């Protein structure tokens, strides 16, 4: 029988979760759900120097917002916890010891100065990338070069040391990646990575492999930037005797700048004016970054967009909510090549999902904004506004921004329309219209028009002569949704009032 699929998202709490990290989490989730497996959140916080307060909470909130459900996490302990690596510290040492005992790892006592000296020496000898490896280790201070009794004495004296992996000099390391198929790396390209630091904390490499094993992870789905670490991880599985249960790897393609020229960075996003983080984030220097959520993106639009950054369903369909993504997802359809980040596509998705919302759902976005501003608005009016604006917006905050005129009379009037259309005839018709509607009982989008048609007939004026002036008088804007619906929502008294205000304010701008 197939093993039960277990995947993990394993972020380090070092800052706001980059949008690429959200995609990694999403792919893990889609795969887990598709396979009927489990999704684990593991916090990789072994590097205390890079730990950022609040980052873990941020990650949890971001995943929740996106709709990713986690089966096991620090907050929701499963049987393989704790799920925070700093709390697992005592677990790792025995595996480092096992590697030492088997001759696959060793103690190294080199001071930072001695390591620097080695690098300088190699640089002077024109070695392109100086490394602590199968060749150089023999000139350094470690348990492979020092006599056993000296090593013992140093350990007993509590001299600081690290534990390094003894990477073989000549060996091909083969990884069967689910995205890239076979990746072959020569061990001479891998250095003797530190597995346990001087403070007794494991490094990412040791903790990651040990935890994936202990947590029974079956598939490691992560960003391409971890591909160079994969051969080292494969060696660790082999030396720890876990080769048979080693997870399958899938390294996701890079997310590229919109130009395609290199990996997308926060700087690119800042420069081009789009968010890089799912939610608002303020870093330790107090620098604020707006999140996708706060910018008005819907979680379903963002997930749909992110899913397509590196994966495609193999047909022309583009609209996939989370459920449809789970249904359609397969690792086989993840591409190898990096994908360009296209914010216009994200906006397009957002617009599509906004259009699918009911007026009542959209009103749930608008009403709290109004409440915050102490603006009274009935459910009915809010829904009517949403109905009118939904085809014309990309982000829901625009319901308020583009709909302010439903609550406040215009402060300014579209200058171009006034210049071209604010004529004596228009003013005459609008004045008569205002007078008439003041006494109308049932003012709606149909009667609003009928009354206008009557006034126009009486005066012998064509509709086109007044329509734009009426819109500007009522809203200040030159363009907008169906005017009669706008007028009906404003109500007869308010429309009449606004017309009168406009006539007065624009008295010196009337054309013949
Ligand atoms: N802690 C690593 C990160 O921050 C995890 C990489 C992995 O998934 O192995 O991305």
């Amino acid at each position: 029988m197939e093993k039960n699929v277990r995947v993990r998202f394993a972020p380090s709490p070092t800052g706001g979760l980059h949008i690429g990290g959200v995609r990694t989490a999403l792919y893990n989730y889609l795969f887990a759900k598709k396979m009927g497996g489990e999704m684990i959140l593991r916090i990789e916080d072994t590097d205390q120097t890079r730990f950022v307060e609040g980052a873990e909470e941020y990650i949890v909130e971001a995943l929740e917002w996106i709709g990713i459900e986690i089966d096991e996490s620090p907050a929701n302990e499963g049987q393989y916890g704790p799920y925070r690596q700093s709390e697992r510290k005592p677990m790792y040492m025995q595996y480092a010891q096992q590697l030492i005992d088997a001759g696959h790892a060793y103690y190294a006592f080199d001071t930072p100065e001695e390591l620097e000296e080695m690098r300088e020496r190699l640089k002077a000898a024109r070695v392109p990338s100086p490394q602590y490896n199968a060749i150089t280790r023999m000139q350094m201070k470690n348990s492979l070069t020092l006599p056993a009794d000296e090593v013992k004495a140093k350990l007993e004296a509590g001299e600081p040391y690290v534990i390094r992996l003894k990477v073989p000099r000549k060996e091909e390391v083969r990884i069967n990646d689910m995205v890239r198929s076979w990746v072959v790396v020569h061990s001479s390209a891998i250095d003797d990575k530190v597995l346990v630091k001087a403070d007794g904390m494991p490094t990412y490499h040791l903790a990651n492999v040990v935890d994936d094993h202990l947590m029974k992870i079956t598939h490691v789905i992560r960003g391409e930037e971890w591909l160079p670490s994969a051969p080292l991880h494969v060696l660790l599985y082999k030396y720890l005797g876990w080769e048979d249960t080693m997870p399958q790897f899938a390294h996701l393609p890079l997310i590229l700048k919109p130009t395609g020229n290199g990996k997308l960075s926060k700087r690119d996003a800042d420069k081009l004016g789009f968010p890089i983080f799912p939610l608002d984030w303020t870093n330790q220097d107090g620098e604020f970054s707006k999140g996708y959520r706060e910018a008005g993106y819907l979680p379903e639009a963002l997930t749909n967009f992110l899913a397509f950054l590196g994966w495609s369903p193999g047909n022309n369909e583009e609209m996939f909510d989370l459920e449809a993504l789970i249904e359609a997802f397969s690792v086989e359809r993840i591409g190898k090549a990096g994908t360009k980040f296209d914010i216009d596509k994200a906006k397009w998705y957002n617009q599509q999902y906004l259009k699918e919302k009911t007026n009542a759902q959209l009103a749930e976005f608008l009403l709290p904004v109004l409440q915050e501003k102490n603006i009274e608005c009935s459910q009915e009016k809010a829904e009517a506004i949403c109905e009118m604006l939904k085809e014309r917006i990309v982000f829901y905050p625009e319901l308020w921004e583009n709909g302010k005129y439903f609550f406040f009379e215009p402060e300014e009037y579209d200058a171009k329309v006034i210049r071209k259309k604010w004529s004596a005839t228009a003013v005459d018709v609008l004045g008569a219209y205002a007078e008439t509607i003041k006494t109308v009982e049932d003012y709606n989008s149909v009667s609003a028009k009928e009354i206008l048609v009557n006034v126009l007939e009486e005066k012998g004026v064509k509709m086109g002569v007044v329509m734009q002036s009426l819109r500007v008088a009522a809203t200040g804007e030159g363009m907008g949704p169906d005017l009669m619906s706008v007028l009906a929502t404003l109500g007869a008294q308010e429309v009449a009032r606004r017309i009168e205000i406009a006539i007065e304010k624009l008295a010196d701008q009337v054309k013949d």
Side-chain angles (χ1 to χ4, degrees):
M1 207 182 88
E2 280 271 306
K3 278 186 294 182
N4 188 21
V5 164
R6 287 174 58 83
V7 299
R8 85 306 194 267
F9 178 51
S12 299
T14 54
L17 179 62
H18 192 286
I19 200 70
V22 181
R23 185 196 60 170
T24 300
L26 178 66
Y27 281 25
N28 272 285
Y29 178 70
L30 296 178
F31 181 68
K33 288 287 135 182
K34 172 89 189 186
M35 306 302 285
E38 266 114 47
M39 167 87 178
I40 287 109
L41 172 67
R42 184 174 70 226
I43 300 296
E44 301 210 324
D45 57 351
T46 53
D47 189 349
Q48 295 292 314
T49 58
R50 295 183 63 219
F51 178 83
V52 170
E53 199 65 54
E56 181 184 324
E57 291 75 6
Y58 179 91
I59 291 164
V60 169
E61 193 182 339
L63 299 182
E64 222 172 77
W65 176 64
I66 284 286
I68 293 177
E69 289 164 40
I70 309 280
D71 298 298
E72 295 163 32
S73 74
N76 176 19
E77 292 267 335
Q79 55 177 318
Y80 303 104
Y83 291 84
R84 234 177 248 120
Q85 285 184 331
S86 58
E87 292 166 19
R88 300 170 67 83
K89 188 177 169 189
M91 292 189 187
Y92 303 111
M93 204 52 195
Q94 59 172 303
Y95 299 105
Q97 194 59 53
Q98 186 187 326
L99 291 168
I100 291 176
D101 294 345
H104 291 304
Y106 58 92
Y107 299 105
F109 301 96
D110 316 277
T111 62
E113 294 74 35
E114 285 163 341
L115 289 171
E116 187 51 36
E117 203 181 286
M118 180 256 275
R119 271 184 227 113
E120 289 303 322
R121 194 158 22 89
L122 291 174
K123 258 196 244 158
R126 298 190 183 280
V127 175
S129 48
Q131 284 183 332
Y132 204 117
N133 59 19
I135 299 171
T136 55
R137 71 166 83 107
M138 297 319 288
Q139 288 127 43
M140 304 303 287
K141 252 174 34 201
N142 53 52
S143 55
L144 301 173
T145 58
L146 299 172
D149 53 350
E150 198 179 328
V151 172
K152 195 163 171 261
K154 279 180 184 295
L155 293 176
E156 277 168 6
E159 247 187 60
Y161 65 85
V162 298
I163 298 174
R164 287 181 181 270
L165 183 68
K166 191 177 163 205
V167 177
R169 184 163 175 202
K170 286 184 185 162
E171 196 176 305
E172 272 192 349
V173 186
R174 300 164 72 81
I175 306 149
N176 191 3
D177 188 272
M178 289 168 85
V179 174
R180 273 145 235 273
S181 125
W182 285 101
V183 179
V184 182
V185 181
H186 200 271
S187 66
S188 60
I190 311 169
D191 61 337
D192 285 1
K193 283 271 181 318
V194 172
L195 301 177
V196 176
K197 292 177 276 188
D199 62 2
M201 267 289 193
T203 55
Y204 154 71
H205 302 292
L206 181 66
N208 187 270
V209 166
V210 167
D211 285 350
D212 282 347
H213 173 74
L214 295 179
M215 294 182 176
K216 300 212 169 0
I217 300 302
T218 57
H219 297 79
V220 166
I221 303 172
R222 61 185 173 190
E224 188 181 291
E225 61 273 29
W226 299 103
L227 188 58
S229 300
L232 186 84
H233 297 176
V234 169
L235 286 177
L236 279 170
Y237 281 104
K238 185 171 151 192
Y239 297 155
L240 287 163
W242 299 336
E243 235 174 341
D244 291 352
T245 54
M246 183 168 80
Q248 274 188 274
F249 292 100
H251 288 91
L252 307 177
L254 288 178
I255 299 179
L256 304 174
K257 297 176 205 286
T259 53
N261 170 23
K263 195 176 155 189
L264 176 75
S265 69
K266 179 173 178 305
R267 263 188 55 204
D268 302 319
D270 289 349
K271 212 165 63 194
L272 296 165
F274 58 80
I276 197 75
F277 297 127
L279 321 175
D280 277 359
W281 173 253
T282 304
N283 74 9
Q284 288 155 301
D285 301 329
E287 189 197 338
F288 171 80
S289 305
K290 202 173 192 60
Y292 278 87
R293 180 178 66 184
E294 290 77 6
Y297 283 86
L298 298 165
E300 54 270 46
L302 191 61
T303 45
N304 200 152
F305 166 70
L306 287 179
F308 274 69
L309 277 184
W311 170 86
S312 75
N315 56 31
N316 289 333
E317 279 175 57
E318 293 191 285
M319 297 297 289
F320 289 79
D321 62 13
L322 206 48
E323 217 171 292
L325 283 171
I326 292 168
E327 182 67 34
F329 193 74
S330 74
V331 176
E332 289 71 42
R333 295 212 59 85
I334 297 175
K336 285 198 247 320
T339 331
K340 284 186 212 168
F341 192 89
D342 177 5
I343 195 66
D344 289 333
K345 194 76 200 185
K347 289 181 188 169
W348 180 83
Y349 271 118
N350 211 53
Q351 206 168 15
Q352 302 311 307
Y353 281 100
L354 269 183
K355 276 190 210 161
E356 281 183 10
K357 298 256 178 226
T358 63
N359 297 334
Q361 284 170 327
L362 291 174
E364 281 174 36
F365 293 119
L366 178 60
L367 284 167
V369 182
L370 297 175
Q371 211 163 30
E372 208 177 284
K373 299 181 191 303
N374 275 326
I375 298 171
E376 257 183 58
C377 179
S378 67
Q379 177 74 25
E380 194 191 352
K381 180 169 173 182
E383 288 186 24
I385 293 171
C386 293
E387 167 69 24
M388 281 181 272
L389 295 182
K390 73 177 170 194
E391 292 287 329
R392 318 175 72 87
I393 58 167
V394 179
F395 301 111
Y396 58 79
E398 292 168 79
L399 289 170
W400 157 246
E401 286 153 19
N402 297 359
K404 280 186 191 154
Y405 56 74
F406 286 107
F407 307 98
F408 300 112
E409 66 200 45
E411 282 174 12
E412 281 170 33
Y413 299 93
D414 185 298
K416 204 165 148 204
V417 175
I418 298 301
R419 205 169 53 241
K420 290 196 171 152
K421 297 279 183 179
W422 196 253
S423 63
T425 316
V427 168
D428 180 44
V429 170
L430 292 185
Y433 182 67
E435 273 315 308
T436 319
I437 59 176
K438 274 184 199 168
T439 56
V440 167
E441 297 250 312
D442 192 12
Y443 189 70
N444 54 42
S445 60
V446 178
S447 62
K449 187 163 184 181
E450 278 170 4
I451 299 165
L452 181 64
V453 169
N454 289 343
V455 176
L456 286 168
E457 265 173 19
E458 255 171 50
K459 306 249 176 206
V461 177
K462 288 215 172 66
M463 183 79 96
V465 179
V466 295
M467 277 298 262
Q468 273 188 294
S469 292
L470 177 54
R471 181 186 293 281
V472 170
T475 69
E477 312 274 334
M479 279 187 299
D482 174 61
L483 180 58
M484 295 308 147
S485 306
V486 174
L487 298 181
T489 302
L490 286 172
Q493 301 313 319
E494 181 64 10
V495 173
R497 196 176 73 85
R498 289 189 185 189
I499 289 174
E500 283 163 1
I501 294 174
I503 290 177
E504 200 184 309
K505 277 197 185 169
L506 297 168
D508 56 350
Q509 295 190 51
V510 181
K511 318 277 161 331
D512 311 319

